[in-house]
Amino acid sequence: MHLLVCGGTGCKASASDALEDKLTKELEEKSLQDEVQVVKTGCFGFCEKGPIVKVLPDNTFYTQVKPEDAKTIIEEHVIKGRKVERLLYLDPETKMHVTDSKHMGFYKKQIRVALRNCGFINPESIEEAIARDGYAALAKVLTEMTPDQAIQEILDSGLRGRGGGGFPTGLKWKLTAKEKADQKYVVCNADEGDPGAFMDRSILEGDPHSVIEAMAINGYCTGATKGLIYIRAEYPLAITRLKIAIDQAREFGLLGNDILGLGFDFDLEMRYGAGAFVCGEETALIHSMEGERGEPTFKPPFPSVEGYLKKPTNVNNVETYANIPVIFLKGANWFNKIGTEKSKGTKVFALAGKINNVGLIEVPMGTTLREVIYEIGGGIKDGKKFKAVQTGGPSGGCLTEKHLDTPIDFDNLIAVGSMMGSGGMIVMDEDDCMVSMAKFYLEFTVEESCGKCAPCRIGNKRLHEQLELITKGIGSKADLEKLRDLCNVIKDTSLCGLGQTSPNPVLSTIDNFYDEYLAHVEDQKCPAGVCKDLMQYVISHDECVGCTACARVCPVGAIAGERKGPHTIDSAICIKCGACIEKCKFNAISIQ
Amino acid sequence: MAKVKSLADLQKLKADLQTKVDLREKGEGAENLVQIKVAMATCGIASGAKQVMEFFMDELEKRNIEAVVTQTGCMGYCYAEPTVEIKLPNQDPVVFGDVDIKKADEIIEKYVKTGELVNGIIPQNYNTIDE
């Protein structure tokens, strides 16, 4: 018998360590330590009801277990085999105790659709992919459906593009399908560029065949016989595994001429990007593949009409493709039951920042931020206070406490001033300065702007300069309004998605953290204590014993004082390196 | 490998491979076969998954334990890389997190040899498409 005790940070905060000790001691007292082991586990994703104890092999799931409950569990459950009713999970709907975790499906907030094979199959083995239904959807579509029927299935599923824009995938296919041309192309956009997002890389590294299969289906539906995968050269492992997968698919006759003897030809090629953010925009991506500069061009003409080499081209993102085979195998009606009214299916998010369970998760659309951050994510690191979460990377916005219960889907996120983007979620706590955060993202966009249109090239540069000044405490309330105006102009007049969304981090932080901006410009203070120029190192004369350690370590000679007398820091000289604080044994130096 | 020439071919191939995988997982005829999957995506490799995988392969052989060690993609638990899934015959798979060489050794000695669980289990907290 095993007693699994949750050792996730959330449960630790509610005394799971003490509980574990208590259980071990109780077992020793009863001389049961050889028959029953206490084992510490990672997070169960149910921190709200922690600490959790799971008993194996009967799968009993106890919630909110206190150290003093240890005795009861051992005496009742372990010795007498009777479950401790009061510690069982109470189903909020039926008000019944749930006796084993196998019947607690509702507590599993995640469902893995796009990630179905990641972490299960050997990505370098087509056999394992086929054993888990790889290429079965392609076979089904080729034998049972006309291209129109297959497109209709995708339309019915309600699948929307996972790259960020959320454009209906079926409609995109339909637009390319209706064009007449001697050659059409389907493209996989694997130019994942948002800082903090890595779901596309994980899918390509973990399940490359799902993308290859979906591209072949896309080819059949749109009438394209050639597919191109545009992937950034910084993803060497994903590239290697894709190449292996493509070779295997060719060897098995699942790519190439006359696939499955059904007269359908389709083959794939790889194209490497140099890692420019703007090349995630489909027209820039297409130009880059053609060997031109990676610059966007005005739409229309849309790629479905005039794309790669001026031929009709359908571009979809990696995660979008990974969903396609499941839709055909399970049916559009299975898929469109997951999610919200206008956003169907699941979304993969990359959780990063000040969160305990950093990682990849996949949740149904409509899951709230609170569920993602506090239950699946295990809450904020080191017990700090949640401040904001940035979704959609540099194009998105930050969401705060008041948005925690907003169901996440394409439209809701836009309504609250952010966006889905590719699914990066960077969590920030009370120690993060929102002005600095906005500045960080602007730095990224300034660097990544291709420079073609003035609003993005010049406007973002000016925005960044303005933010730089604010972090130094220079500016006024009126400047904040100017900042807002400039943001709106850039949004309205930029050529492509990069510029149209780049001011979002600034706008959303001004909206949600106006006081913090004001504190910088009016009081010359950074409430989070991040902006160096607004901090002052001060020596408390009550604590200082005059040991001179700080004065000796100061690299710029900013500290003066008599030996055995109180010392003082000259703020005009101090570079805020923090060396003095580290050296002081008397905690006499503080930041104000 | 001969080409898959028709739908029937693909279905037959799937059935064959499925049986092969099932056989391996259910351990029929190979009661002592332990299956070990090491998450080898960029994140895992960066945290040392390659060394851990080599350790499993070398040590299991040295210690005369019949096992299949394979690589797989990202399991999603970046906070606990390297992650390793162990499937003992006739049992549900168990995922362990933060598996360094020391932990790998403990896993072999305790879990693989005696079925005794060790600290660091990551509970499955998601549904699959078949549930």
Side-chain angles (χ1 to χ4, degrees), chain A residues 143-210:
Chain A
T143 51
E144 294 172 18
M145 293 171 133
T146 64
D148 285 347
Q149 283 170 335
I151 292 174
Q152 192 58 46
E153 190 78 9
I154 298 296
L155 279 169
D156 292 343
S157 75
L159 178 67
R160 293 170 68 173
R162 299 295 194 243
F167 191 81
T169 307
L171 187 58
K172 211 172 197 180
W173 290 22
K174 202 171 172 176
L175 292 170
T176 312
K178 76 169 199 234
E179 293 299 318
K180 301 251 178 299
D182 53 345
Q183 178 70 58
K184 295 183 192 177
Y185 296 95
V186 294
V187 174
C188 172
N189 182 349
D191 190 62
E192 187 171 47
D194 281 10
F198 51 91
M199 59 286 296
D200 293 349
R201 188 190 70 204
S202 293
I203 291 172
L204 292 170
E205 287 176 356
D207 187 18
H209 288 286
S210 69

Side-chain angles (χ1 to χ4, degrees), chain A residues 40 61 110 143 194 199 244 284 311 331 498 518 540-541 555:
Chain A
K40 193 185 290 173
F61 198 84
Q110 301 193 60
T143 51
D194 281 10
M199 59 286 296
I244 295 173
K311 302 292 183 190
L498 196 155
L518 268 190
S540 156
H541 286 185

Side-chain angles (χ1 to χ4, degrees), chain A residues 200-232:
Chain A
D200 293 349
R201 188 190 70 204
S202 293
I203 291 172
L204 292 170
E205 287 176 356
D207 187 18
H209 288 286
S210 69
V211 174
I212 296 173
E213 178 184 11
M215 288 184 76
I217 295 174
N218 189 0
Y220 174 73
C221 292
T222 54
T225 53
K226 280 198 180 138
L228 297 156
I229 301 174
Y230 185 85
I231 184 167
R232 40 181 55 219

Side-chain angles (χ1 to χ4, degrees), chain A residues 48-67:
Chain A
E48 183 199 5
K49 293 277 174 203
I52 307 285
V53 174
K54 186 171 170 174
V55 186
L56 289 182
D58 62 20
N59 281 312
T60 308
F61 198 84
Y62 292 127
T63 55
Q64 292 172 315
V65 186
K66 296 187 184 62

Side-chain angles (χ1 to χ4, degrees), chain A residues 2 37 39-44 56 102 105 108 110-113 116 118-124 127-128 130-131 133 135 139 143 198 205-206 237 241 250-252 260-261 330 334 356-360, chain B residues 1-7 10 13-14 17-18 21 24 37 40-43 45 70-79 85 92 115-131:
Chain A
H2 285 101
Q37 272 98 38
V39 176
K40 193 185 290 173
T41 74
C43 182
F44 275 89
L56 289 182
K102 290 241 156 119
K108 292 178 181 170
Q110 301 193 60
I111 166 164
R112 295 200 170 172
V113 179
R116 63 194 175 280
C118 284
F120 280 98
I121 61 167
N122 179 349
E124 295 180 12
E127 284 95 345
E128 292 200 15
I130 291 175
D133 279 326
Y135 298 96
T143 51
F198 51 91
E205 287 176 356
L237 185 64
R241 292 199 176 146
R250 282 195 193 124
E251 204 183 304
F252 274 61
L260 294 172
K330 293 268 176 189
W334 176 85
N356 281 318
N357 302 342
V358 169
L360 269 194
Chain B
M1 174 67 212
K3 290 208 172 191
V4 187
K5 290 204 189 70
S6 66
L7 178 62
L10 182 70
L13 183 65
K14 194 213 146 169
L17 292 170
Q18 183 85 60
V21 173
R24 190 170 70 199
K37 288 181 192 170
M40 293 264 274
T42 299
C43 44
I45 293 172
T70 52
Q71 62 169 348
T72 186
C74 174
M75 297 185 192
Y77 310 112
C78 310
Y79 64 95
E85 184 189 285
D92 286 338
E116 181 185 328
L117 291 171
V118 297
N119 289 346
I121 296 168
I122 301 180
Q124 184 184 329
N125 61 352
Y126 59 87
N127 285 313
T128 66
I129 54 172
D130 299 316
E131 283 168 87

